[in-house]
Amino acid sequence: MIRSESTEMYLKTILELGTGKEPVAISQVAERWGVTPVSANEMIKRLAEYGMIRHEPYKGVSLTETGLRQATNILRRHRLWERLLVDHLGVDWAESHDAACQLEHATAEAVTTALDAFLGHPTTCPHGNPIPDPGQPVNEAETRPLSTLEIGQQATIICIHPEETALLNYLAEHGIYPQRTVEVEEIAPLDGPLTVRVGEQRTVIGREAASRVHVAV
Amino acid sequence: MIRSESTEMYLKTILELGTGKEPVAISQVAERWGVTPVSANEMIKRLAEYGMIRHEPYKGVSLTETGLRQATNILRRHRLWERLLVDHLGVDWAESHDAACQLEHATAEAVTTALDAFLGHPTTCPHGNPIPDPGQPVNEAETRPLSTLEIGQQATIICIHPEETALLNYLAEHGIYPQRTVEVEEIAPLDGPLTVRVGEQRTVIGREAASRVHVAV
DNA sequence: CATGATTTTTAGCCATGCCTATAATTTTGT
DNA sequence: ACAAAATTATAGGCATGGCTAAAAATCATG
Protein backbone atom coordinates (compact mmCIF):
# COMPACT_ATOMS: atom_id res chain seq x y z
CA MET A 1 0.00 0.00 0.00
CA ILE A 2 2.75 2.38 0.80
CA ARG A 3 5.73 1.11 -1.13
CA SER A 4 4.29 0.40 -4.53
CA GLU A 5 6.25 1.44 -7.57
CA SER A 6 3.64 4.08 -8.31
CA THR A 7 3.67 5.78 -4.95
CA GLU A 8 7.46 5.79 -4.99
CA MET A 9 7.51 7.46 -8.36
CA TYR A 10 5.07 10.13 -7.24
CA LEU A 11 7.08 10.87 -4.13
CA LYS A 12 10.30 11.02 -6.09
CA THR A 13 8.73 13.28 -8.69
CA ILE A 14 7.46 15.68 -6.05
CA LEU A 15 10.88 15.79 -4.43
CA GLU A 16 12.64 16.39 -7.74
CA LEU A 17 10.28 19.15 -8.82
CA GLY A 18 10.22 20.86 -5.45
CA THR A 19 12.85 23.55 -5.61
CA GLY A 20 12.46 24.63 -2.04
CA LYS A 21 9.65 25.78 0.16
CA GLU A 22 6.81 26.36 -2.34
CA PRO A 23 4.51 23.41 -3.00
CA VAL A 24 4.57 21.69 -6.38
CA ALA A 25 1.57 21.99 -8.70
CA ILE A 26 -0.23 18.73 -9.30
CA SER A 27 -0.38 19.48 -13.00
CA GLN A 28 3.39 19.57 -13.05
CA VAL A 29 3.61 16.22 -11.35
CA ALA A 30 1.09 14.79 -13.78
CA GLU A 31 2.97 16.09 -16.78
CA ARG A 32 6.39 14.95 -15.65
CA TRP A 33 5.18 11.51 -14.65
CA GLY A 34 3.09 11.20 -17.79
CA VAL A 35 -0.42 10.73 -16.41
CA THR A 36 -3.56 12.83 -16.64
CA PRO A 37 -4.16 15.50 -14.00
CA VAL A 38 -7.19 13.54 -12.82
CA SER A 39 -5.12 10.44 -12.16
CA ALA A 40 -2.45 12.46 -10.44
CA ASN A 41 -5.13 14.04 -8.31
CA GLU A 42 -6.49 10.70 -7.18
CA MET A 43 -3.03 9.49 -6.32
CA ILE A 44 -2.20 12.69 -4.48
CA LYS A 45 -5.34 12.22 -2.44
CA ARG A 46 -4.26 8.73 -1.47
CA LEU A 47 -0.74 9.80 -0.63
CA ALA A 48 -2.14 12.57 1.52
CA GLU A 49 -4.30 10.04 3.38
CA TYR A 50 -1.19 7.95 3.98
CA GLY A 51 0.42 11.03 5.46
CA MET A 52 3.21 11.15 2.90
CA ILE A 53 2.34 14.53 1.44
CA ARG A 54 0.43 17.67 2.28
CA HIS A 55 -2.02 19.03 -0.24
CA GLU A 56 -2.94 22.70 -0.19
CA PRO A 57 -5.82 22.97 -2.67
CA TYR A 58 -5.15 25.23 -5.63
CA LYS A 59 -1.57 25.64 -4.42
CA GLY A 60 0.07 22.29 -4.81
CA VAL A 61 1.63 19.50 -2.81
CA SER A 62 4.63 19.21 -0.53
CA LEU A 63 6.19 16.28 1.25
CA THR A 64 5.68 15.58 4.93
CA GLU A 65 8.52 14.41 7.17
CA THR A 66 7.70 10.80 6.36
CA GLY A 67 7.25 11.46 2.68
CA LEU A 68 10.49 13.40 2.47
CA ARG A 69 12.37 10.61 4.17
CA GLN A 70 11.00 8.03 1.80
CA ALA A 71 11.46 10.12 -1.32
CA THR A 72 15.03 10.85 -0.29
CA ASN A 73 15.67 7.16 0.09
CA ILE A 74 14.38 6.45 -3.38
CA LEU A 75 16.59 9.18 -4.79
CA ARG A 76 19.51 7.67 -2.92
CA ARG A 77 18.90 4.24 -4.38
CA HIS A 78 18.45 5.72 -7.83
CA ARG A 79 21.72 7.60 -7.78
CA LEU A 80 23.70 4.78 -6.25
CA TRP A 81 22.50 2.47 -9.02
CA GLU A 82 23.49 5.04 -11.60
CA ARG A 83 26.99 5.11 -10.19
CA LEU A 84 27.29 1.33 -10.31
CA LEU A 85 25.86 1.14 -13.80
CA VAL A 86 28.10 3.82 -15.24
CA ASP A 87 31.32 3.42 -13.29
CA HIS A 88 31.49 -0.35 -12.99
CA LEU A 89 29.18 -1.99 -15.50
CA GLY A 90 29.95 0.43 -18.29
CA VAL A 91 26.34 1.28 -19.01
CA ASP A 92 25.83 4.37 -21.15
CA TRP A 93 25.74 7.66 -19.21
CA ALA A 94 22.39 8.68 -20.67
CA GLU A 95 20.82 5.22 -20.53
CA SER A 96 21.75 4.71 -16.90
CA HIS A 97 18.96 7.01 -15.77
CA ASP A 98 16.13 4.85 -17.10
CA ALA A 99 17.78 1.66 -15.92
CA ALA A 100 18.15 3.08 -12.41
CA CYS A 101 14.51 4.21 -12.48
CA GLN A 102 13.50 0.59 -12.79
CA LEU A 103 15.96 -0.76 -10.26
CA GLU A 104 15.28 1.83 -7.57
CA HIS A 105 11.89 0.29 -6.76
CA ALA A 106 13.24 -3.21 -6.48
CA THR A 107 16.05 -2.55 -4.05
CA ALA A 108 16.09 -3.94 -0.55
CA GLU A 109 17.66 -1.89 2.21
CA ALA A 110 20.51 -4.40 2.58
CA VAL A 111 21.33 -4.02 -1.10
CA THR A 112 21.36 -0.24 -0.86
CA THR A 113 23.78 -0.37 2.05
CA ALA A 114 26.02 -2.89 0.32
CA LEU A 115 25.96 -0.85 -2.86
CA ASP A 116 26.95 2.32 -1.05
CA ALA A 117 29.86 0.56 0.62
CA PHE A 118 31.02 -1.09 -2.59
CA LEU A 119 30.99 2.24 -4.39
CA GLY A 120 32.96 3.87 -1.59
CA HIS A 121 30.17 6.17 -0.41
CA PRO A 122 29.97 8.37 -3.50
CA THR A 123 28.56 11.86 -3.10
CA THR A 124 27.11 12.48 -6.53
CA CYS A 125 25.49 10.53 -9.35
CA PRO A 126 27.07 10.49 -12.82
CA HIS A 127 24.85 13.41 -13.78
CA GLY A 128 26.22 15.49 -10.93
CA ASN A 129 23.30 15.28 -8.53
CA PRO A 130 24.03 14.74 -4.84
CA ILE A 131 23.50 11.33 -3.27
CA PRO A 132 21.72 11.93 0.03
CA ASP A 133 22.97 10.23 3.17
CA PRO A 134 20.50 7.73 4.57
CA GLY A 135 17.75 9.60 6.39
CA GLN A 136 19.16 13.00 5.55
CA PRO A 137 17.43 15.29 3.07
CA VAL A 138 19.45 16.32 0.03
CA ASN A 139 21.15 19.63 0.27
CA GLU A 140 21.32 21.13 -3.14
CA ALA A 141 24.57 22.57 -4.40
CA GLU A 142 24.95 26.28 -5.03
CA THR A 143 24.18 26.45 -8.70
CA ARG A 144 22.22 28.33 -11.29
CA PRO A 145 20.75 27.20 -14.57
CA LEU A 146 22.94 27.59 -17.63
CA SER A 147 20.06 29.53 -19.14
CA THR A 148 20.63 32.38 -16.68
CA LEU A 149 24.20 33.09 -17.75
CA GLU A 150 25.01 36.16 -19.80
CA ILE A 151 27.01 36.35 -22.99
CA GLY A 152 30.70 35.83 -22.40
CA GLN A 153 30.24 34.25 -19.00
CA GLN A 154 32.13 31.07 -18.28
CA ALA A 155 30.99 28.41 -15.86
CA THR A 156 31.53 24.82 -14.80
CA ILE A 157 28.74 22.37 -15.31
CA ILE A 158 27.69 20.89 -11.98
CA CYS A 159 24.64 18.77 -12.66
CA ILE A 160 21.73 17.96 -14.95
CA HIS A 161 18.42 18.31 -13.16
CA PRO A 162 15.78 17.05 -13.44
CA GLU A 163 17.14 14.14 -15.41
CA GLU A 164 15.37 12.78 -18.46
CA THR A 165 16.68 10.30 -20.98
CA ALA A 166 16.01 12.34 -24.11
CA LEU A 167 17.75 15.32 -22.54
CA LEU A 168 20.72 13.28 -21.37
CA ASN A 169 21.16 11.72 -24.80
CA TYR A 170 21.07 15.13 -26.39
CA LEU A 171 23.58 16.57 -23.94
CA ALA A 172 25.90 13.58 -24.22
CA GLU A 173 26.00 13.98 -27.98
CA HIS A 174 27.06 17.58 -27.53
CA GLY A 175 29.66 16.90 -24.87
CA ILE A 176 27.69 18.64 -22.14
CA TYR A 177 28.17 16.91 -18.80
CA PRO A 178 29.43 17.66 -15.28
CA GLN A 179 32.91 19.09 -14.75
CA ARG A 180 33.13 20.57 -18.22
CA THR A 181 33.53 24.29 -18.71
CA VAL A 182 31.06 26.20 -20.84
CA GLU A 183 30.96 29.71 -22.17
CA VAL A 184 27.84 31.37 -23.50
CA GLU A 185 28.50 32.92 -26.89
CA GLU A 186 25.07 33.94 -28.02
CA ILE A 187 21.54 34.12 -26.70
CA ALA A 188 18.75 34.14 -29.24
CA PRO A 189 15.79 36.38 -28.43
CA LEU A 190 12.22 35.27 -27.68
CA ASP A 191 13.27 32.42 -25.46
CA GLY A 192 15.37 31.11 -28.29
CA PRO A 193 18.38 28.78 -28.07
CA LEU A 194 21.78 29.52 -26.56
CA THR A 195 25.01 29.08 -28.40
CA VAL A 196 27.65 27.75 -26.04
CA ARG A 197 31.24 26.71 -26.37
CA VAL A 198 32.27 23.49 -24.65
CA GLY A 199 35.96 22.83 -25.08
CA GLU A 200 36.67 23.21 -28.77
CA GLN A 201 33.09 22.48 -29.72
CA ARG A 202 30.38 25.05 -30.42
CA THR A 203 26.84 23.90 -29.73
CA VAL A 204 23.34 25.29 -29.91
CA ILE A 205 21.04 24.31 -27.09
CA GLY A 206 17.38 25.15 -26.45
CA ARG A 207 16.34 27.35 -23.57
CA GLU A 208 14.37 24.62 -21.86
CA ALA A 209 17.29 22.20 -22.02
CA ALA A 210 19.68 24.90 -20.80
CA SER A 211 17.49 25.48 -17.77
CA ARG A 212 18.15 21.89 -16.76
CA VAL A 213 21.91 22.26 -16.93
CA HIS A 214 23.11 23.73 -13.66
CA VAL A 215 26.42 25.51 -13.45
CA ALA A 216 28.71 27.30 -11.02
CA VAL A 217 30.41 30.45 -12.21
CA MET B 1 0.72 -7.30 -20.77
CA ILE B 2 3.51 -9.69 -21.40
CA ARG B 3 6.32 -8.53 -19.19
CA SER B 4 4.62 -7.82 -15.91
CA GLU B 5 6.32 -8.93 -12.75
CA SER B 6 3.59 -11.51 -12.24
CA THR B 7 3.84 -13.17 -15.62
CA GLU B 8 7.61 -13.28 -15.27
CA MET B 9 7.33 -14.98 -11.92
CA TYR B 10 4.94 -17.58 -13.27
CA LEU B 11 7.17 -18.33 -16.22
CA LYS B 12 10.23 -18.61 -14.03
CA THR B 13 8.40 -20.85 -11.58
CA ILE B 14 7.28 -23.18 -14.36
CA LEU B 15 10.82 -23.37 -15.70
CA GLU B 16 12.28 -24.03 -12.24
CA LEU B 17 9.79 -26.74 -11.42
CA GLY B 18 9.97 -28.41 -14.80
CA THR B 19 12.52 -31.17 -14.47
CA GLY B 20 12.40 -32.18 -18.09
CA LYS B 21 9.75 -33.27 -20.51
CA GLU B 22 6.70 -33.79 -18.29
CA PRO B 23 4.43 -30.81 -17.76
CA VAL B 24 4.28 -29.11 -14.36
CA ALA B 25 1.11 -29.37 -12.27
CA ILE B 26 -0.66 -26.08 -11.75
CA SER B 27 -1.12 -26.86 -8.08
CA GLN B 28 2.65 -27.04 -7.74
CA VAL B 29 3.05 -23.67 -9.39
CA ALA B 30 0.38 -22.22 -7.14
CA GLU B 31 1.99 -23.60 -4.01
CA ARG B 32 5.52 -22.52 -4.87
CA TRP B 33 4.45 -19.06 -5.90
CA GLY B 34 2.11 -18.75 -2.90
CA VAL B 35 -1.25 -18.17 -4.55
CA THR B 36 -4.43 -20.22 -4.62
CA PRO B 37 -4.87 -22.82 -7.36
CA VAL B 38 -7.74 -20.76 -8.73
CA SER B 39 -5.57 -17.70 -9.16
CA ALA B 40 -2.83 -19.76 -10.73
CA ASN B 41 -5.37 -21.24 -13.08
CA GLU B 42 -6.56 -17.86 -14.23
CA MET B 43 -3.03 -16.70 -14.82
CA ILE B 44 -2.15 -19.91 -16.64
CA LYS B 45 -5.11 -19.34 -18.91
CA ARG B 46 -3.88 -15.86 -19.72
CA LEU B 47 -0.32 -17.01 -20.30
CA ALA B 48 -1.62 -19.73 -22.62
CA GLU B 49 -3.55 -17.12 -24.58
CA TYR B 50 -0.38 -15.10 -24.92
CA GLY B 51 1.31 -18.19 -26.31
CA MET B 52 3.88 -18.42 -23.53
CA ILE B 53 2.81 -21.80 -22.20
CA ARG B 54 0.89 -24.89 -23.26
CA HIS B 55 -1.78 -26.22 -20.93
CA GLU B 56 -2.77 -29.87 -21.12
CA PRO B 57 -5.82 -30.11 -18.85
CA TYR B 58 -5.40 -32.42 -15.89
CA LYS B 59 -1.77 -32.90 -16.84
CA GLY B 60 -0.11 -29.59 -16.29
CA VAL B 61 1.66 -26.79 -18.12
CA SER B 62 4.82 -26.57 -20.15
CA LEU B 63 6.59 -23.65 -21.74
CA THR B 64 6.40 -22.89 -25.44
CA GLU B 65 9.44 -21.78 -27.42
CA THR B 66 8.66 -18.17 -26.64
CA GLY B 67 7.90 -18.86 -23.01
CA LEU B 68 11.05 -20.89 -22.56
CA ARG B 69 13.14 -18.15 -24.07
CA GLN B 70 11.64 -15.56 -21.77
CA ALA B 71 11.78 -17.69 -18.64
CA THR B 72 15.40 -18.53 -19.37
CA ASN B 73 16.17 -14.87 -19.67
CA ILE B 74 14.63 -14.15 -16.31
CA LEU B 75 16.63 -16.94 -14.73
CA ARG B 76 19.73 -15.54 -16.35
CA ARG B 77 19.10 -12.09 -14.90
CA HIS B 78 18.32 -13.58 -11.51
CA ARG B 79 21.52 -15.56 -11.30
CA LEU B 80 23.70 -12.78 -12.64
CA TRP B 81 22.35 -10.46 -9.97
CA GLU B 82 23.04 -13.06 -7.31
CA ARG B 83 26.65 -13.23 -8.43
CA LEU B 84 27.03 -9.47 -8.28
CA LEU B 85 25.33 -9.25 -4.92
CA VAL B 86 27.36 -12.00 -3.29
CA ASP B 87 30.75 -11.69 -4.98
CA HIS B 88 31.03 -7.93 -5.24
CA LEU B 89 28.57 -6.22 -2.93
CA GLY B 90 29.03 -8.68 -0.10
CA VAL B 91 25.36 -9.43 0.33
CA ASP B 92 24.57 -12.52 2.38
CA TRP B 93 24.56 -15.80 0.42
CA ALA B 94 21.05 -16.73 1.58
CA GLU B 95 19.61 -13.21 1.34
CA SER B 96 20.87 -12.71 -2.19
CA HIS B 97 18.11 -14.90 -3.57
CA ASP B 98 15.26 -12.66 -2.47
CA ALA B 99 17.09 -9.52 -3.48
CA ALA B 100 17.70 -10.94 -6.94
CA CYS B 101 14.05 -11.95 -7.20
CA GLN B 102 13.12 -8.31 -6.94
CA LEU B 103 15.83 -7.01 -9.25
CA GLU B 104 15.30 -9.56 -12.03
CA HIS B 105 12.04 -7.93 -13.10
CA ALA B 106 13.51 -4.47 -13.25
CA THR B 107 16.48 -5.22 -15.44
CA ALA B 108 16.87 -3.82 -18.93
CA GLU B 109 18.61 -5.93 -21.54
CA ALA B 110 21.54 -3.53 -21.68
CA VAL B 111 22.04 -3.93 -17.94
CA THR B 112 21.99 -7.72 -18.19
CA THR B 113 24.64 -7.65 -20.88
CA ALA B 114 26.79 -5.21 -18.97
CA LEU B 115 26.42 -7.24 -15.80
CA ASP B 116 27.46 -10.43 -17.54
CA ALA B 117 30.55 -8.78 -18.96
CA PHE B 118 31.48 -7.17 -15.65
CA LEU B 119 31.21 -10.50 -13.88
CA GLY B 120 33.35 -12.20 -16.50
CA HIS B 121 30.60 -14.39 -17.92
CA PRO B 122 30.05 -16.57 -14.89
CA THR B 123 28.58 -20.03 -15.44
CA THR B 124 26.83 -20.60 -12.13
CA CYS B 125 25.04 -18.62 -9.46
CA PRO B 126 26.34 -18.63 -5.87
CA HIS B 127 23.95 -21.48 -5.12
CA GLY B 128 25.45 -23.60 -7.84
CA ASN B 129 22.78 -23.28 -10.49
CA PRO B 130 23.86 -22.74 -14.09
CA ILE B 131 23.55 -19.31 -15.68
CA PRO B 132 22.05 -19.85 -19.13
CA ASP B 133 23.61 -18.18 -22.13
CA PRO B 134 21.34 -15.60 -23.72
CA GLY B 135 18.71 -17.35 -25.80
CA GLN B 136 19.93 -20.82 -24.86
CA PRO B 137 17.93 -23.05 -22.55
CA VAL B 138 19.66 -24.16 -19.38
CA ASN B 139 21.26 -27.53 -19.51
CA GLU B 140 21.10 -29.06 -16.10
CA ALA B 141 24.18 -30.60 -14.59
CA GLU B 142 24.39 -34.34 -13.96
CA THR B 143 23.30 -34.49 -10.37
CA ARG B 144 21.05 -36.34 -7.99
CA PRO B 145 19.32 -35.17 -4.83
CA LEU B 146 21.24 -35.67 -1.61
CA SER B 147 18.15 -37.51 -0.37
CA THR B 148 18.85 -40.37 -2.81
CA LEU B 149 22.28 -41.23 -1.43
CA GLU B 150 22.81 -44.36 0.62
CA ILE B 151 24.50 -44.64 3.97
CA GLY B 152 28.23 -44.24 3.71
CA GLN B 153 28.13 -42.60 0.29
CA GLN B 154 30.19 -39.49 -0.21
CA ALA B 155 29.35 -36.77 -2.69
CA THR B 156 30.12 -33.20 -3.65
CA ILE B 157 27.38 -30.62 -3.35
CA ILE B 158 26.70 -29.09 -6.74
CA CYS B 159 23.67 -26.88 -6.30
CA ILE B 160 20.61 -25.96 -4.27
CA HIS B 161 17.46 -26.17 -6.35
CA PRO B 162 14.84 -24.87 -6.28
CA GLU B 163 16.11 -22.00 -4.16
CA GLU B 164 14.13 -20.59 -1.27
CA THR B 165 15.30 -18.17 1.39
CA ALA B 166 14.30 -20.21 4.43
CA LEU B 167 16.07 -23.22 2.99
CA LEU B 168 19.18 -21.27 2.10
CA ASN B 169 19.38 -19.77 5.56
CA TYR B 170 19.06 -23.19 7.11
CA LEU B 171 21.71 -24.68 4.86
CA ALA B 172 24.10 -21.81 5.37
CA GLU B 173 23.88 -22.24 9.12
CA HIS B 174 24.83 -25.86 8.73
CA GLY B 175 27.66 -25.27 6.31
CA ILE B 176 25.89 -26.91 3.40
CA TYR B 177 26.71 -25.18 0.14
CA PRO B 178 28.23 -25.91 -3.26
CA GLN B 179 31.70 -27.49 -3.51
CA ARG B 180 31.55 -29.02 -0.05
CA THR B 181 31.78 -32.77 0.42
CA VAL B 182 29.07 -34.60 2.32
CA GLU B 183 28.74 -38.11 3.59
CA VAL B 184 25.46 -39.69 4.61
CA GLU B 185 25.78 -41.31 8.03
CA GLU B 186 22.22 -42.23 8.86
CA ILE B 187 18.82 -42.25 7.22
CA ALA B 188 15.81 -42.20 9.51
CA PRO B 189 12.87 -44.32 8.42
CA LEU B 190 9.43 -43.07 7.39
CA ASP B 191 10.78 -40.22 5.28
CA GLY B 192 12.67 -39.06 8.32
CA PRO B 193 15.73 -36.81 8.37
CA LEU B 194 19.22 -37.64 7.15
CA THR B 195 22.29 -37.34 9.29
CA VAL B 196 25.16 -36.08 7.18
CA ARG B 197 28.76 -35.17 7.83
CA VAL B 198 30.05 -31.98 6.26
CA GLY B 199 33.71 -31.49 6.99
CA GLU B 200 34.06 -31.90 10.72
CA GLN B 201 30.46 -31.05 11.37
CA ARG B 202 27.61 -33.51 11.80
CA THR B 203 24.17 -32.22 10.83
CA VAL B 204 20.62 -33.52 10.67
CA ILE B 205 18.64 -32.40 7.69
CA GLY B 206 15.01 -33.10 6.71
CA ARG B 207 14.16 -35.26 3.74
CA GLU B 208 12.46 -32.42 1.90
CA ALA B 209 15.43 -30.11 2.35
CA ALA B 210 17.81 -32.89 1.32
CA SER B 211 15.89 -33.35 -1.91
CA ARG B 212 16.75 -29.79 -2.81
CA VAL B 213 20.47 -30.29 -2.32
CA HIS B 214 21.89 -31.77 -5.49
CA VAL B 215 25.15 -33.66 -5.44
CA ALA B 216 27.55 -35.53 -7.69
CA VAL B 217 29.06 -38.75 -6.40
C1' DC C 1 -16.17 42.30 -10.51
C1' DA C 2 -16.92 39.41 -14.06
C1' DT C 3 -15.05 36.28 -17.23
C1' DG C 4 -11.80 32.96 -18.69
C1' DA C 5 -8.28 29.82 -17.13
C1' DT C 6 -6.87 26.57 -13.85
C1' DT C 7 -7.72 23.21 -10.36
C1' DT C 8 -10.47 19.84 -8.19
C1' DT C 9 -14.10 16.59 -7.85
C1' DT C 10 -17.45 13.25 -9.40
C1' DA C 11 -19.07 9.51 -12.12
C1' DG C 12 -18.37 5.71 -14.86
C1' DC C 13 -15.26 2.62 -17.11
C1' DC C 14 -11.17 -0.68 -17.92
C1' DA C 15 -7.25 -4.14 -16.97
C1' DT C 16 -4.50 -6.69 -13.78
C1' DG C 17 -4.12 -9.89 -10.08
C1' DC C 18 -5.59 -11.48 -6.25
C1' DC C 19 -9.45 -13.73 -3.15
C1' DT C 20 -13.54 -17.16 -1.47
C1' DA C 21 -17.16 -20.30 -2.42
C1' DT C 22 -19.14 -23.51 -5.21
C1' DA C 23 -19.78 -26.58 -8.93
C1' DA C 24 -18.33 -29.57 -12.63
C1' DT C 25 -15.06 -32.61 -14.41
C1' DT C 26 -11.34 -35.93 -14.77
C1' DT C 27 -8.10 -39.06 -12.77
C1' DT C 28 -6.81 -42.55 -9.72
C1' DG C 29 -6.86 -46.19 -6.39
C1' DT C 30 -9.24 -49.94 -4.35
C1' DA D 1 -16.54 -49.74 -11.57
C1' DC D 2 -16.98 -46.39 -8.28
C1' DA D 3 -15.82 -43.32 -4.76
C1' DA D 4 -12.28 -40.22 -3.22
C1' DA D 5 -8.93 -36.95 -4.66
C1' DA D 6 -7.32 -33.71 -7.73
C1' DT D 7 -8.16 -30.43 -11.31
C1' DT D 8 -10.69 -27.01 -13.67
C1' DA D 9 -14.25 -23.65 -14.21
C1' DT D 10 -17.70 -20.14 -12.80
C1' DA D 11 -19.47 -16.46 -10.13
C1' DG D 12 -18.90 -12.55 -7.39
C1' DG D 13 -15.64 -9.46 -4.87
C1' DC D 14 -11.70 -6.38 -3.69
C1' DA D 15 -7.65 -3.10 -4.36
C1' DT D 16 -4.61 -0.61 -7.35
C1' DG D 17 -3.81 2.45 -10.90
C1' DG D 18 -5.05 4.02 -14.98
C1' DC D 19 -8.63 6.52 -18.39
C1' DT D 20 -12.54 10.07 -20.36
C1' DA D 21 -16.20 13.29 -19.79
C1' DA D 22 -18.36 16.65 -17.42
C1' DA D 23 -19.30 19.61 -13.53
C1' DA D 24 -17.96 22.51 -9.69
C1' DA D 25 -14.89 25.49 -7.27
C1' DT D 26 -11.29 28.79 -7.12
C1' DC D 27 -7.88 32.03 -8.97
C1' DA D 28 -6.30 35.81 -11.68
C1' DT D 29 -6.68 39.54 -14.71
C1' DG D 30 -8.55 43.08 -17.48
Side-chain angles (χ1 to χ4, degrees), chain B residues 100-128:
Chain B
C101 265
Q102 297 182 255
L103 292 170
E104 70 192 11
H105 308 293
T107 311
E109 190 54 39
V111 174
T112 311
T113 308
L115 198 50
D116 185 44
F118 172 75
L119 295 169
H121 311 290
T123 59
T124 69
C125 84
H127 313 103

Side-chain angles (χ1 to χ4, degrees), chain A residues 10-58:
Chain A
Y10 274 99
L11 291 178
K12 197 185 75 166
T13 304
I14 294 167
L15 177 58
E16 281 183 334
L17 292 179
T19 46
K21 292 281 104 75
E22 336 80 69
V24 178
I26 293 184
S27 53
Q28 263 194 303
V29 177
E31 192 189 359
R32 171 123 174 96
W33 168 228
V35 298
T36 63
V38 176
S39 299
N41 238 282
E42 288 169 337
M43 198 64 195
I44 259 57
K45 218 192 303 174
R46 248 171 284 169
L47 286 173
E49 270 168 31
Y50 296 158
M52 310 301 284
I53 62 180
R54 235 172 287 106
H55 181 199
E56 298 168 59
Y58 300 100

Side-chain angles (χ1 to χ4, degrees), chain B residues 4 6 10 33-36 38-39 42-43 46 50 58:
Chain B
S4 75
S6 259
Y10 274 99
W33 168 228
V35 297
T36 63
V38 177
S39 299
E42 287 170 336
M43 199 62 195
R46 247 171 285 167
Y50 295 158
Y58 300 100

